[in-house]
Amino acid sequence: MTRFALTIEYDGRPFMGWQRQDHGPSVQAALERAALEVTGETVTVHAAGRTDAGVHARGMVAHLDIAKPITAFRLSEALNARLRPDPVAVLAAREVPDDWHARFSCVARHYRYRIVVRRAPLTWQQGLAWRLTTPLDRPAMAAGAERLVGRHDFTTFRSAHCQADSPLRTLDRLDVVPTAEGVDVYASARSFLHHQVRSMVGCLALVGQGRWSPDDMGAALAARDRAALGLNAPPDGLYFLSADYPAD
Amino acid sequence: MTRFALTIEYDGRPFMGWQRQDHGPSVQAALERAALEVTGETVTVHAAGRTDAGVHARGMVAHLDIAKPITAFRLSEALNARLRPDPVAVLAAREVPDDWHARFSCVARHYRYRIVVRRAPLTWQQGLAWRLTTPLDRPAMAAGAERLVGRHDFTTFRSAHCQADSPLRTLDRLDVVPTAEGVDVYASARSFLHHQVRSMVGCLALVGQGRWSPDDMGAALAARDRAALGLNAPPDGLYFLSADYPAD
């Protein structure tokens, strides 16, 4: 058996999310079906992050074990040929040690959330960004984001369905970066709680629109209560960007 | 009657092109249908450029005449509400003089052509960029582009269906700009021949891949013969960016 790490891009719009589901298409099932067609082997593909329905990835990292002799390059080419027309593409593949694990070896995860500010509906960005129709106060958003960076109990920003043992997480980065069309929010941590990035971005939007002050963000965090959440942003704008591993 | 100028964004993928057609959807028909629903008036929408099937616009300029009293802001909001779910959005509207014409008053047109260089298929950019799988020599492309700037007979770069009286055009700008994923080609002129931008970009790609030299580009131009064209780029990567008018 050879273990391969894959770097994967996908458009989350047609999928129920990363994880295999009985009731609809998933990115994981698309990759496992392609792997079966390429190798004749029934494999499980493990990812660094199990993204929700409608969430995208520019550089998801995943691994799978293959018995058939094949090079990393041929594997990526063959998977891409079988993935069509699903909007999932293997950008890179490499051999990794047998004890390397896309999820458990991962030491940092990086997300981007794209907000477009305009009155007009989106066209080709429909489902690929969150449209807000009122101007955003970016410095206020940055001040609000500052309250969340560091090690905290993120219960307020955690889905009721979150299965993590602890609500404690260390948020290494939460940057609000201006773009030509709005703002991009960059979030980095060793790991995130379920819905954490979308919940933080939803509240940052309230701060940007002047409906919350940066202090309200601090108060929401301190409340450690899901009921204190202002707004959960839709999946549309969220992209899993990349994952870091010790050897990298 | 009040004449309104509209700035329009659209995703060209589902359309047969800008121009109204008997046999399929067009951007013009979508706008004229929305205007009829908003005003009860049968109008003709005139555009600065009649883009082909699959070509996009970030800032197409068009005009229409409305008898019903309505402000520019209300018109744009109402059109956007009626355009759904078509991927066409009115970004801005303003009143213009009765003799102002989106096509005939236009003094410059600006296009961008997006090329992504990678082995992997595109995901959310499918139909929104031209994917090339081999590296591009950008300086060579820039040298090739330089041969086309200025006033020339562009017969080589003109569709057989082009209806312009003269093949003479003045190309003001043809810039090859590096991006994170490949190159963007920016083209500006008072007006273009049919397929001119796509034909120029197709040949620039040949230069970038080393299949043509910059001198071959000059020779193709000098040939003034459609048979000398190397390659016509697909519509996918082409965006009508903006149009200039004397008053602007």
Side-chain angles (χ1 to χ4, degrees):
Chain A
M1 292 290 244
T2 304
R3 181 159 291 188
F4 293 96
L6 308 177
T7 304
I8 302 162
E9 179 185 283
Y10 53 85
D11 178 347
R13 287 176 290 188
F15 297 108
M16 307 290 296
W18 166 269
Q19 201 154 18
R20 207 184 312 113
Q21 307 273 345
D22 290 335
H23 57 292
S26 66
V27 181
Q28 185 184 21
L31 283 160
E32 291 174 353
R33 186 171 49 245
L36 175 62
E37 290 180 19
V38 170
T39 64
E41 301 169 42
T42 300
V43 302
T44 298
V45 181
H46 299 271
R50 286 163 297 175
T51 54
D52 279 330
V55 174
H56 321 289
R58 291 183 70 92
M60 177 58 74
V61 180
H63 80 261
L64 75 177
D65 295 326
I66 303 282
K68 176 183 174 175
I70 189 168
T71 65
F73 179 75
R74 289 308 315 159
L75 178 62
S76 66
E77 295 279 294
L79 288 173
N80 281 333
R82 305 301 175 123
L83 282 163
R84 291 180 195 178
D86 283 327
V88 180
V90 177
L91 303 182
R94 62 189 171 102
E95 282 190 38
V96 289
D98 289 349
D99 62 350
W100 189 97
H101 196 287
R103 182 176 171 201
F104 298 121
S105 305
C106 181
V107 293
R109 292 163 171 89
H110 308 284
Y111 282 92
R112 185 191 70 201
Y113 195 99
R114 177 150 289 175
I115 298 176
V116 172
V117 178
R118 69 185 211 185
R119 294 283 312 172
L122 302 177
T123 63
W124 58 77
Q125 289 186 98
Q126 184 69 50
L128 296 174
W130 186 22
R131 177 178 66 109
L132 295 174
T133 56
T134 55
L136 295 177
D137 180 343
R138 201 191 60 77
M141 294 175 76
E146 193 58 40
R147 312 300 172 96
L148 302 182
V149 173
R151 184 161 177 80
H152 302 290
D153 178 332
F154 282 99
T155 296
T156 302
F157 301 93
R158 173 188 195 179
S159 158
H161 303 292
C162 183
Q163 290 170 18
D165 292 333
S166 164
L168 286 171
R169 288 293 183 275
T170 300
L171 182 63
D172 296 315
R173 180 188 185 198
L174 189 64
D175 288 346
V176 183
V177 176
T179 66
E181 300 183 294
V183 298
D184 282 350
V185 179
Y186 288 88
S188 296
R190 184 178 186 96
S191 68
F192 289 95
L193 300 167
H194 190 218
H195 280 189
Q196 187 181 344
V197 178
R198 287 167 54 188
S199 294
M200 296 190 300
V201 169
C203 294
L204 284 177
L206 294 181
V207 174
Q209 293 176 328
R211 296 156 67 190
W212 271 23
S213 69
D215 283 346
D216 290 335
M217 183 69 94
L221 177 67
R224 284 179 284 177
D225 178 357
R226 184 68 178 169
L229 182 75
L231 185 63
N232 196 36
D236 310 45
L238 187 58
Y239 296 74
F240 188 102
L241 287 186
S242 59
D244 298 344
Y245 296 87
D248 291 351
Chain B
M1 293 290 246
T2 304
R3 181 159 292 188
F4 293 96
L6 308 177
T7 305
I8 302 162
E9 179 185 283
Y10 52 84
D11 178 347
R13 287 177 290 188
F15 297 108
M16 307 291 296
W18 166 269
Q19 201 154 17
R20 208 185 312 114
Q21 307 272 345
D22 290 334
H23 57 293
S26 66
V27 181
Q28 185 183 21
L31 283 160
E32 291 174 353
R33 186 171 52 243
L36 176 62
E37 291 180 18
V38 170
T39 65
E41 302 169 42
T42 299
V43 303
T44 298
V45 181
H46 300 270
R50 288 164 295 177
T51 53
D52 279 330
V55 175
H56 321 288
R58 291 184 69 92
M60 176 58 75
V61 179
H63 80 261
L64 74 178
D65 295 326
I66 305 283
K68 176 182 176 176
I70 190 167
T71 66
F73 178 75
R74 289 307 317 159
L75 178 63
S76 66
E77 294 280 294
L79 288 174
N80 281 334
R82 305 300 176 124
L83 282 163
R84 290 179 195 182
D86 282 327
V88 180
V90 178
L91 303 182
R94 62 189 170 102
E95 283 190 37
V96 290
D98 290 349
D99 62 348
W100 189 97
H101 197 289
R103 181 175 172 201
F104 299 121
S105 304
C106 182
V107 294
R109 292 164 171 89
H110 308 283
Y111 283 92
R112 184 191 70 202
Y113 195 99
R114 176 150 289 175
I115 299 176
V116 172
V117 178
R118 70 184 210 185
R119 294 282 313 171
L122 301 177
T123 64
W124 57 78
Q125 290 186 96
Q126 185 67 50
L128 297 174
W130 186 23
R131 177 178 66 109
L132 295 175
T133 56
T134 54
L136 295 177
D137 180 343
R138 202 193 58 79
M141 294 175 77
E146 192 59 38
R147 311 299 173 95
L148 301 182
V149 173
R151 183 162 179 80
H152 302 290
D153 178 332
F154 282 99
T155 296
T156 303
F157 301 92
R158 173 189 197 180
S159 156
H161 303 291
C162 182
Q163 290 170 20
D165 292 335
S166 164
L168 286 171
R169 286 295 182 274
T170 301
L171 181 63
D172 295 315
R173 180 188 185 198
L174 190 63
D175 287 346
V176 183
V177 176
T179 66
E181 300 183 295
V183 298
D184 282 350
V185 179
Y186 288 88
S188 297
R190 185 178 186 96
S191 68
F192 290 93
L193 299 166
H194 189 221
H195 280 189
Q196 187 182 343
V197 179
R198 289 167 54 188
S199 295
M200 295 190 301
V201 169
C203 294
L204 284 177
L206 295 181
V207 174
Q209 294 176 327
R211 295 155 68 190
W212 272 24
S213 68
D215 283 346
D216 290 333
M217 182 70 93
L221 177 68
R224 286 179 281 177
D225 178 358
R226 184 67 178 169
L229 181 74
L231 185 63
N232 197 35
D236 310 45
L238 187 58
Y239 295 75
F240 187 102
L241 287 187
S242 61
D244 297 344
Y245 296 87
D248 293 348

